[in-house]
Amino acid sequence: MTYIPLESIDEFKKTFRGTVITRSDDDYENARKVWNGMFDKYPSLIARCICTSDVIQSVNFARNQSQLIAVRGGGHNSAGKATCDDGIIIDLSLMRRVNVDVKNKTVRVDGGALLGDVDRETQLHGLAVSAGIVSHTGVGGLTLGGGFGWISRKYGLSVDNLVSAEVVTADGKLLQANVNENPDLFWAIRGGGGNFGIVTSFVFNCADIGTHVFSGLIVKKYENAKQYITFHSEYVRSLPDEMSVWMVVRKAPPLPFLPPEIHGQMVVIVPFVWLGEQSKGEKLIKPIRDQSESHGEFMGMTPWVDWQSGFDGLVEHGARNYWKSHQIKELNDKCIDQILRFADTLPSDECEIFIPHMEGAPSRVKGDATAFAHRDPPFVLNIHTRWRDQSDDERCISWAKDFHLSTEPFAQGVYVNFLSDEGDARVKDAYTENVWNRLVQLKNMYDPHNLFRLNQNIKPSI
Ligand SMILES: Cc1cc2nc3c(=O)[nH]c(=O)nc-3n(C[C@H](O)[C@H](O)[C@H](O)COP(=O)(O)OP(=O)(O)OC[C@H]3O[C@@H](n4cnc5c(N)ncnc54)[C@H](O)[C@@H]3O)c2cc1C
């Protein structure tokens, strides 16, 4: 631990417009927390920025004081990368402005905004940004890793819709990154995570989706899980990009449309979003409804903002989480068998096996066009292990690791934002070799001393 002299903190405060929080402050306890309750860390100082100059001051201060830096966007990262013991958290959580340019259908978003902030503002004009599915996730971390959600099959990943970004680099400079200005930096931040600097604002293209989407959940009986998943693995791949159908194997939450006796029982939940006329969406979803018996369903034209926050309660802050993931080449018979083998031994009621379907617009972008490399695999297999009691850590983590290992033969790469702390070699799995080599070169250029290292780290080679 490198001690920060009190006089230096006082000096820093003089030019800082946000709030500087230290261990003796009342709001320290709250300010140090992140989404994943596994990470109970005690930073020396939290620099809660309100503007770009605060971010620059914080980077310069941390560098000059030889302090470890954690950058906090939404604080949602399951690997707990937004906090640290001792060092400095550069906290963007008060930088959440969202300004829509209705004429050009773009939106400028501050680096600490949450997805819900963006949805609420863009939806005033029937617009949306292609991003994730839980409204309290941060735009910052999500976008820098790639970003996908319900409308990505049609509109691409968040990085595919990024027009430009303002980046504070390790030497405290403010750079524009877009196709014309610092295009190499622009390439790197579209998948390379927070390795290259702190993004104080993003500009995205918006999609014109209207204010309501035909969406819903169909809850299938677990006794037919094998048949259903086998059908699903083929059927969803035949659907147009406007339709996204995902799958969640878990114990049923207390959804109001399910009979109470089903709550807590194993089920296969099939959520979907259709971007188009309801009648057409109903036709496409009918084979899923007909394939096997359901416990219940809920569907209709739903306000986008409501749909986007509909799952928030299932993943609220504070629980203990250990997530493992990979992209899946083929959801074949053997892979399904492994999924069901581990589904039979879920270590807690809140764990879920979450299988988004990705292919569509993202897979039509070349693998090295951005730093988000693994665009071909059709499915993602996310093992969301979630529990409450510390005494269950070992049991839950072992289950996740064993499950993950058993499905490795079907995997091709991993999405960097779903990595836990899995070591340097595993970070490389998020990239192809040529993308990784280019990222290392750019790290050498933009952050040669690895100031930004609390992330899925790309180490400089010099
Ligand atoms: C419940 C839940 C649901 C999720 N759903 C989705 C989903 O639907 N789609 C999807 O793609 N991903 C999803 N994710 C993964 C998500 O993309 C990552 O957790 C991401 O890291 C969250 O970003 P954040 O800003 O909230 O995280 P933080 O923990 O604040 O940051 C994560 C990393 O990004 C860096 N960072 C954050 N903001 C900035 C910034 N402005 N500039 C530079 N570096 C920054 C941090 O330093 C850290 O290394 C989900 C995660 C959770 C926990």
Side-chain angles (χ1 to χ4, degrees):
M1 167 177 171
T2 318
Y3 171 72
I4 314 177
L6 275 179
E7 316 81 78
S8 305
I9 297 180
D10 287 341
E11 202 53 36
F12 173 56
K13 280 182 179 169
K14 282 186 193 158
T15 53
F16 192 79
R17 289 171 61 211
T19 319
V20 175
I21 303 168
T22 57
R23 288 180 194 197
S24 54
D25 290 313
D26 289 345
D27 36 3
Y28 179 77
E29 264 312 298
N30 245 339
R32 72 183 182 83
K33 285 188 185 139
V34 288
W35 174 83
N36 189 348
M38 294 280 278
F39 296 93
D40 186 23
K41 304 225 167 173
Y42 290 84
S44 299
L45 185 150
I46 302 165
R48 197 164 257 181
C49 308
I50 59 165
C51 54
T52 303
S53 68
D54 278 354
V55 176
I56 295 173
Q57 300 277 5
S58 307
V59 168
N60 289 338
F61 179 67
R63 193 189 53 245
N64 295 339
Q65 294 290 328
S66 305
Q67 292 294 312
L68 180 64
I69 293 178
V71 179
R72 183 202 167 98
H76 233 247
N77 189 249
S78 56
K81 298 292 184 186
T83 184
C84 56
D85 278 326
D86 300 329
I88 294 181
I89 298 184
I90 301 181
D91 179 349
L92 309 178
S93 63
L94 295 182
M95 294 176 61
R96 289 171 58 177
R97 272 173 320 172
V98 176
N99 294 106
V100 183
D101 178 342
V102 182
K103 195 164 145 246
N104 291 310
K105 294 191 179 161
T106 59
V107 60
R108 185 186 181 88
V109 181
D110 274 1
L114 305 182
L115 300 191
D117 299 329
V118 179
D119 279 329
R120 273 191 293 274
E121 294 303 316
T122 51
Q123 276 291 282
L124 295 174
H125 313 282
L127 302 173
V129 173
S130 176
I133 68 163
V134 169
S135 79
H136 46 74
T137 312
V139 173
L142 176 133
T143 301
L144 294 170
F148 73 92
W150 296 114
I151 62 172
S152 313
R153 291 196 64 222
K154 171 74 180 159
Y155 293 105
L157 304 172
S158 307
V159 288
D160 301 334
N161 290 283
L162 188 63
V163 178
S164 67
E166 240 175 35
V167 188
V168 175
T169 49
D171 52 5
K173 290 208 174 91
L174 181 63
L175 299 184
Q176 302 298 322
N178 52 54
V179 286
N180 299 315
E181 295 165 281
N182 304 299
D184 50 0
L185 179 62
F186 186 51
W187 177 87
I189 61 168
R190 286 178 290 161
N195 274 285
F196 300 90
I198 303 182
V199 176
T200 51
S201 73
F202 299 90
V203 176
F204 295 99
N205 280 322
C206 297
D208 210 342
I209 65 163
T211 56
H212 288 63
V213 290
F214 178 57
S215 55
L217 300 173
I218 303 166
V219 180
K220 292 287 177 191
K221 292 194 170 173
Y222 190 66
E223 64 211 49
N224 303 319
K226 176 83 191 259
Q227 295 92 307
Y228 178 73
I229 300 175
T230 305
F231 156 81
H232 181 105
S233 66
E234 290 296 325
Y235 182 65
V236 300
R237 300 192 66 185
S238 71
L239 292 169
D241 294 348
E242 288 79 4
M243 177 67 94
S244 284
V245 189
W246 294 7
M247 185 165 51
V248 189
V249 182
R250 59 166 294 154
K251 291 190 174 163
L255 298 166
F257 62 87
L258 288 179
E261 63 276 16
I262 300 307
H263 299 170
Q265 302 299 314
M266 284 301 293
V267 289
V268 180
I269 304 178
V270 186
F272 73 89
V273 168
W274 165 247
L275 299 170
E277 270 174 39
Q278 177 166 348
S279 57
K280 285 190 186 151
E282 278 170 355
K283 276 190 198 130
L284 292 170
I285 216 69
K286 190 168 181 306
I288 292 177
R289 298 167 93 179
D290 292 347
Q291 196 281 331
S292 58
E293 262 188 273
S294 304
H295 286 299
E297 60 181 34
F298 162 86
M299 61 185 70
M301 292 300 289
T302 308
W304 178 244
V305 172
D306 292 354
W307 175 258
Q308 282 286 84
S309 51
F311 303 100
D312 288 4
L314 292 175
V315 283
E316 84 263 349
H317 294 70
R320 304 179 80 76
N321 283 270
Y322 183 77
W323 288 18
K324 294 280 281 183
S325 177
H326 33 216
Q327 264 125 301
I328 295 288
K329 289 178 283 198
E330 198 189 349
L331 209 46
N332 62 20
D333 204 46
K334 285 189 176 141
C335 183
I336 296 169
D337 283 344
Q338 291 308 324
I339 290 169
L340 292 175
R341 181 160 81 90
F342 283 88
D344 284 341
T345 57
L346 283 190
S348 88
D349 288 357
E350 289 184 78
C351 293
E352 55 186 24
I353 303 166
F354 195 89
I355 309 179
H357 174 218
M358 291 274 286
E359 68 197 329
S363 31
R364 289 191 287 272
V365 174
K366 273 179 68 188
D368 59 0
T370 68
F372 185 97
H374 294 296
R375 290 169 173 272
D376 292 337
F379 294 102
V380 179
L381 173 61
N382 269 4
I383 302 165
H384 292 167
T385 321
R386 188 174 160 84
W387 65 101
R388 300 283 160 168
D389 198 329
Q390 193 171 356
S391 63
D392 288 327
D393 285 6
E394 206 184 313
R395 190 171 58 83
C396 292
I397 292 171
S398 302
W399 175 85
K401 285 184 172 169
D402 291 347
F403 182 7
H404 189 255
L405 196 64
S406 82
T407 48
E408 220 166 58
F410 318 105
Q412 184 191 322
V414 61
Y415 170 31
V416 74
N417 278 353
F418 289 142
L419 284 172
S420 287
D421 243 333
E422 303 177 42
D424 292 349
R426 183 66 177 149
V427 178
K428 270 179 115 169
D429 289 347
Y431 305 100
T432 50
E433 200 181 337
N434 60 340
V435 166
W436 175 260
N437 291 340
R438 187 167 175 205
L439 283 169
V440 173
Q441 275 171 22
L442 292 171
K443 182 75 176 179
N444 290 344
M445 213 165 120
Y446 286 101
D447 185 16
H449 303 295
N450 209 6
L451 189 70
F452 301 116
R453 60 181 175 278
L454 254 183
N455 40 43
Q456 299 298 347
N457 197 219
I458 299 160
K459 290 193 173 52
S461 62
I462 48 173

